[in-house]
C-alpha cells in the first residue's frame, strides 16, 4: 500500500483573487499576490487502498460524507487521471487553524492534498505542476505550494495558470480572529454571484490587474509603504465589490470595521500597518516585524490574535510503499 504525508500552510493575499474566468479549471480573472504563513499548518496523509470501493475523508478525526468529501473525490479523480490509476484513497487531514476561523483553510488543505496525493499515486511533479494541481482544488491553494511571497499568474489555460515565488521586503502579519463560525456564503458561490450580478465587476478586474503590477514592483523595490497601501485598498475594493452583488453579501462584521479603523489610526501615529480581510470577518494586518507589538497592543481586547511570518513551501514529510 502506498502512503504519503504532506504539510502546507495557509496564505493571505495582498492583491486578491476574486472571480473566475473558467470555473472547471479554476482559472482566475486576474493574477494575485500573497504571503504563505508559518502558522496554522494542515497535515494530510493519503493512503491508497486496493480493497476499497470509494474514497474516505477523515477531517480532524471525524469521517466526512458530505460536501468536503465530494470535493476531495473530485480532486483525487484529477490525480488518478494523471497517474492512470483507479485506486481509491483514504485521506486523513488535520487542520490546526482554530476551528472554522475561515482563514484560507482550503488553501493549505488543497496544497497539502496535492503534494500528498501526487506522491501516493506515484507522480513526480515539479513545483509548477504542483501549483497547477493545487489550483484545481481551490484557486488560492496554488499559492500555498510556494514559500513566502508568491504571485499567481492568471494565465489563460491550465498550463499557464500557476504561482511562483517573488522576492519581498521583511514583513509580518498579525491575524485577528474576529469570529469562528463558518461563513454564510462560500467564496465559490459569492464569486459566481459577483461575476453575474455586480455592475462593478469589470472595474474590479481592470483595477486589480493594475494593483498587481504595482504590488510586484513595490516588492521588487522593497517599498513597504506602497505595498501596504495597495494591500488595504485592494481588500476594501474586494469587499465593496462583494457587497454590490444581488442579493448582496457582507463578510465584514462591525468588529472587522473597528479593526480597520484602529489600524488606520495607528498609521496616523506613525506605525506602518495595513489591514486586509478575505471572505470572512477576520482581519489580517500587514506590518514590519518591528511593529508587531504596536499592532497587537492597538487591537488588544478586540479579537484573538496570532503573529505570522513568511512560511515554508508545501512539503512531503514522509512516503512509503510502492
Ligand atoms: O481559493 P478560494 O476559492 O478559497 O478563494 C479565495 C478568495 C480570497 O481568499 C478571498 C482571496 C484570495 O486571493 O485568497
Amino acid at each position: 500500500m502506498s502512503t504519503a504525508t504532506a504539510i502546507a500552510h495557509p496564505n493571505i493575499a495582498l492583491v486578491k483573487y476574486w472571480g473566475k474566468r473558467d470555473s472547471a479549471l479554476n482559472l482566475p480573472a486576474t493574477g494575485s499576490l500573497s504571503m504563505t504563513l508559518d502558522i496554522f499548518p494542515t497535515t494530510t496523509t493519503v493512503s491508497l487502498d486496493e480493497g476499497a470501493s470509494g474514497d474516505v475523508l477523515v477531517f480532524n478525526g471525524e469521517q466526512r460524507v458530505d460536501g468536503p468529501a465530494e470535493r476531495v473525490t473530485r480532486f483525487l479523480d484529477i490525480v488518478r487521471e494523471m497517474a492512470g490509476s483507479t485506486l481509491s484513497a483514504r485521506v486523513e487531514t488535520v487542520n490546526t487553524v482554530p476551528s472554522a476561523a475561515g482563514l484560507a483553510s482550503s488553501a493549505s488543505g488543497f496544497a497539502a492534498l496535492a503534494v500528498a496525493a501526487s506522491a501516493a499515486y506515484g507522480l513526480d511533479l515539479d513545483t509548477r505542476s504542483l501549483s497547477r494541481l493545487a489550483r484545481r482544488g481551490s484557486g488560492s491553494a496554488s499559492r500555498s505550494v510556494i514559500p513566502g511571497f508568491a504571485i499567481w499568474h492568471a494565465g489563460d489555460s491550465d498550463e499557464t495558470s500557476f504561482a511562483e515565488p517573488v522576492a519581498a521586503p521583511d514583513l509580518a502579519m498579525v491575524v485577528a480572529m474576529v469570529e469562528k463560525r463558518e461563513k454564510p456564503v462560500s467564496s465559490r458561490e459569492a464569486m459566481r454571484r459577483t461575476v453575474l450580478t455586480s455592475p462593478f465587476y469589470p472595474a474590479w478586474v481592470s483595477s486589480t490587474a493594475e494593483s498587481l503590477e504595482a504590488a510586484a514592483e513595490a516588492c521588487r523595490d522593497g517599498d513597504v509603504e506602497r505595498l501596504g497601501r495597495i494591500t488595504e485598498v485592494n481588500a476594501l475594493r474586494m469587499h465593496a465589490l462583494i457587497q454590490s452583488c444581488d442579493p448582496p453579501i457582507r463578510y465584514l462584521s462591525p468588529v472587522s470595521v473597528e479593526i480597520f479603523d484602529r489600524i488606520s489610526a495607528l498609521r496616523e501615529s506613525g506605525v506602518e500597518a495595513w489591514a486586509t480581510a478575505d471572505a470572512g470577518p477576520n482581519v489580517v494586518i500587514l506590518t514590519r516585524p518591528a511593529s508587531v507589538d504596536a499592532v497587537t497592543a492597538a487591537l488588544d481586547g478586540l479579537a484573538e490574535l496570532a503573529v505570522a511570518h513568511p512560511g515554508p513551501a508545501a512539503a512531503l514529510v514522509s512516503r512509503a510503499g510502492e
Side-chain angles (χ1 to χ4, degrees):
M1 192 180 74
S2 174
T3 174
T5 299
I7 295 187
H9 294 76
N11 71 77
I12 298 293
L14 285 70
V15 176
K16 308 282 189 195
Y17 145 57
W18 194 261
K20 303 175 206 256
R21 70 151 77 188
D22 180 325
S23 30
L25 288 172
N26 263 355
L27 299 182
T30 61
S32 51
L33 189 151
S34 63
M35 183 180 110
T36 296
L37 311 185
D38 63 345
I39 56 173
F40 304 147
T42 297
T43 305
T44 297
T45 300
V46 175
S47 312
L48 304 195
D49 190 344
E50 311 224 339
S53 59
D55 301 317
V56 172
L57 170 65
V58 180
F59 184 84
N60 284 351
E62 230 177 86
Q63 187 167 338
R64 303 288 295 257
V65 286
D66 48 0
E70 284 163 23
R71 216 167 146 190
V72 163
T73 285
R74 276 202 302 276
F75 183 81
L76 291 175
D77 285 342
I78 297 169
V79 179
R80 280 188 278 260
E81 198 183 320
M82 289 169 78
S85 170
T86 53
L87 292 180
S88 295
R90 178 182 174 84
V91 176
E92 280 183 70
T93 184
V94 177
N95 208 339
T96 57
V97 180
S99 58
L103 280 164
S105 55
S106 65
S108 54
F110 279 102
L113 185 59
V115 173
S118 57
Y121 279 96
L123 295 168
D124 187 17
L125 301 183
D126 60 14
T127 304
R128 182 175 296 188
S129 306
L130 282 170
S131 174
R132 285 171 47 204
L133 176 60
R135 186 200 79 232
R136 302 290 296 275
S138 179
S140 55
S142 64
R143 300 183 309 237
S144 272
V145 167
I146 309 296
F149 288 80
I151 287 190
W152 171 18
H153 304 288
D156 56 10
S157 63
D158 179 36
E159 291 74 26
T160 54
S161 188
F162 57 86
E164 60 184 2
V166 58
D170 197 13
L171 289 164
M173 285 182 171
V174 176
V175 181
M177 288 164 281
V178 171
E179 247 174 59
K180 295 184 180 172
R181 70 184 162 82
E182 215 142 296
K183 56 189 165 209
V185 184
S186 71
S187 51
R188 184 168 292 239
E189 161 56 19
M191 279 186 203
R192 200 189 61 86
R193 199 181 297 177
T194 303
V195 176
L196 289 177
T197 70
S198 173
F200 306 143
Y201 185 64
W204 160 258
V205 172
S206 56
S207 69
T208 299
E210 280 164 26
S211 299
L212 179 62
E213 225 167 273
E217 202 176 276
C219 277
R220 272 195 300 276
D221 297 347
D223 189 340
V224 171
E225 211 273 329
R226 187 175 183 208
L227 186 60
R229 241 182 319 120
I230 294 167
T231 299
E232 192 168 299
V233 167
N234 183 258
L236 289 173
R237 280 183 185 163
M238 183 187 79
H239 285 277
L241 175 76
I242 293 169
Q243 291 184 45
S244 73
C245 290
D246 182 7
I249 302 164
R250 181 171 56 80
Y251 284 123
L252 299 179
S253 74
V255 177
S256 323
V257 175
E258 168 79 23
I259 294 175
F260 271 84
D261 285 352
R262 287 219 194 161
I263 293 305
S264 167
L266 190 64
R267 255 194 330 264
E268 301 267 295
S269 75
V271 176
E272 290 184 304
W274 298 269
T276 184
D278 282 345
N282 301 308
V283 182
V284 179
I285 294 89
L286 179 73
T287 191
R288 291 189 191 264
S291 301
V292 162
D293 289 348
V295 170
T296 54
L299 302 183
D300 189 35
L302 272 184
E304 197 183 320
L305 303 176
V307 177
H309 296 94
L316 197 61
V317 290
S318 70
R319 178 185 205 162
E322 297 289 293

